[in-house]
Amino acid sequence: MLLDVLLPNRCAACELPGLALCSGCRDSLIRLSPPLCDRCGSPGAWPVRRCGECRGRRLAFATARAAIVYDEPARRFVQAWKERGRRRLAREAAALVAETLARPDAAALAFVPSDADRSLQRGHRPAEALARELGRLWELPVEALVRRARPVERQRGLGLKERRRNVAGAFASARASPARVCLVDDVYTSGATAAAAASALRQGGARRVEVVTLARAVR
């Protein structure tokens, strides 16, 4: 493609010319593996049904799993993908997820809908793009089952309680959901967005919602 000639590819994490994600940076990304919290997927010293991060919270999703730890290399990758318009990184992100996580037992993939203003600024919708790439790899249909019910402030910089309040009621069911749905997003930080979007899926008829993300913040 002419664009590749004019703008040679660089690694999204280290900026070296060559692959979109060089082998060294790819290998440095920390895969999340057991032991994990059964519910939210937080890593720990031993497996637990509910960890300190999700214990006592009402979560609309049954499980949440991520492929990699959201550390500095992962943050650079996600920033290049989401904020610097490198749309083709969605395919790299999906490959990482599919290599690390098992295909969900779901009838369809849904995705967390992007904020309209941020979608215009970015020129693309990362969570939807990731879901569509995963749908191709996992051979699952991708459906727009969740819609934005109201605008929200950016979650970045907010504390855990503020994040939950910020997205409370932010999503609604767009149409009837199948009984088993896998909800896709790019990063799991506090679980507030995933829980709010999963609640909308449950309102639309989903009986079980699994959450899958590329990366997860680890405290």
Side-chain angles (χ1 to χ4, degrees), residues 2-208:
L2 179 59
L3 184 61
D4 292 326
V5 176
L6 297 175
L7 297 171
N9 219 356
R10 289 181 175 273
C11 174
C14 70
E15 296 291 330
L16 287 175
L19 299 173
L21 183 63
C22 75
S23 58
C25 288
R26 200 176 201 282
D27 291 344
S28 74
L29 295 173
I30 302 171
R31 305 312 201 267
L32 278 162
S33 59
L36 303 170
C37 171
D38 284 348
R39 191 66 177 272
C40 77
S42 176
W46 51 81
V48 293
R49 295 189 65 182
R50 295 290 290 262
C51 68
E53 189 172 327
C54 68
R55 189 182 302 119
R57 293 175 61 185
R58 296 186 65 182
L59 298 173
F61 56 80
T63 63
R65 293 293 183 268
I68 61 174
V69 173
Y70 193 48
D71 58 5
E72 189 54 37
R75 188 174 287 107
R76 290 196 297 268
F77 175 88
V78 170
Q79 186 177 38
W81 171 31
K82 293 177 63 173
E83 309 298 343
R84 298 210 299 270
R86 296 187 58 179
R87 304 180 195 185
R88 283 174 290 182
L89 291 175
R91 181 161 292 195
E92 295 285 345
L96 287 164
V97 172
E99 287 171 13
T100 310
L101 303 179
R103 182 182 185 271
D105 181 15
L109 300 180
F111 51 87
V112 175
S114 297
D115 176 88
D117 289 342
R118 286 197 279 279
S119 293
L120 285 174
Q121 292 171 1
R122 291 168 174 163
H124 66 126
R125 296 180 289 273
E128 179 178 351
L130 177 59
R132 296 201 180 281
E133 291 292 344
L134 285 172
R136 179 180 59 82
L137 294 172
W138 283 334
E139 297 182 338
L140 285 170
V142 179
E143 301 181 23
L145 300 176
V146 181
R147 63 178 177 85
R148 290 267 176 173
R150 62 172 179 82
V152 298
E153 298 295 324
R154 280 183 176 268
Q155 293 280 73
R156 189 180 303 161
L158 298 180
L160 294 179
K161 290 183 179 179
E162 288 78 12
R163 283 174 176 267
R164 294 168 196 164
R165 283 197 294 265
N166 191 38
V167 295
F171 303 103
S173 172
R175 52 197 173 94
S177 299
R180 301 176 75 93
V181 183
C182 177
L183 176 68
V184 177
D185 202 5
D186 42 56
V187 178
Y188 183 111
T189 305
S190 67
T193 299
S199 180
L201 288 169
R202 296 288 296 272
Q203 291 167 11
R207 299 287 299 276
R208 177 182 172 89

